[in-house]
Amino acid sequence: MPLEDQSLLGTEIGGECSTDYCLYCYEAGEFKQPHVTFQEMVDMCVSYLQKDGVAAEEARHLLTSFLPSLKRWRKGGMLEPVIIEKEAFQIMGITARTSNADELTAQTKNSNTMVCVL
């Protein structure tokens, strides 16, 4: 969820706004659903994207690609590979984000996402 509007921000223990988490997930310095798994979070969020007109398969793909980049779902500072099975082949890769223009190639000048397909 883009945290562009201050009204969407969660809160820390002292009541100040969290810059990392939204109000639906985080309140008073704690996750509202502390035991929800990554897969459960994907399953919950698919329906919200579908309400915005995104097909279920595409929503699931977007979520499994993007959620691991968020602070709550990062593991050991490295993003976990996302495996997406298609009919005749399997694609496996790691996505890295950068804001350093020196790291961008000609193909990624319009995006801050680089993908490494293994």
Side-chain angles (χ1 to χ4, degrees):
M1 159 177 245
L3 298 177
E4 297 165 355
D5 185 345
Q6 183 125 0
S7 67
L8 295 174
L9 299 177
T11 57
E12 298 296 346
I13 291 174
E16 63 274 5
C17 290
S18 169
T19 58
D20 295 319
Y21 306 109
C22 74
L23 67 103
Y24 301 110
C25 295
Y26 198 72
E27 183 176 47
E30 296 182 6
F31 289 112
K32 290 182 175 183
Q33 299 169 315
H35 302 294
V36 71
T37 66
F38 176 81
Q39 193 57 52
E40 289 168 339
M41 180 61 77
V42 169
D43 293 342
M44 281 191 294
C45 293
V46 165
S47 64
Y48 294 110
L49 289 173
Q50 284 182 295
K51 288 177 186 175
D52 289 338
V54 179
E57 184 178 334
E58 182 181 354
R60 193 165 298 283
H61 169 71
L62 289 169
L63 291 162
T64 56
S65 297
F66 178 71
L67 286 180
S69 70
L70 300 178
K71 187 175 180 180
R72 181 176 184 175
W73 305 109
R74 280 188 217 142
K75 295 182 181 175
M78 292 290 294
L79 299 179
E80 294 293 317
V82 176
I83 299 174
I84 302 166
E85 293 188 30
K86 295 291 181 181
E87 289 179 25
F89 58 92
Q90 186 177 46
I91 298 174
M92 187 168 95
I94 298 173
T95 300
R97 298 187 185 281
T98 181
S99 60
N100 184 346
D102 293 336
E103 294 178 8
L104 297 176
T105 65
Q107 292 131 349
T108 60
K109 285 289 184 192
N110 295 329
S111 170
N112 69 341
T113 303
M114 293 181 285
V115 178
C116 172
V117 178
L118 307 173

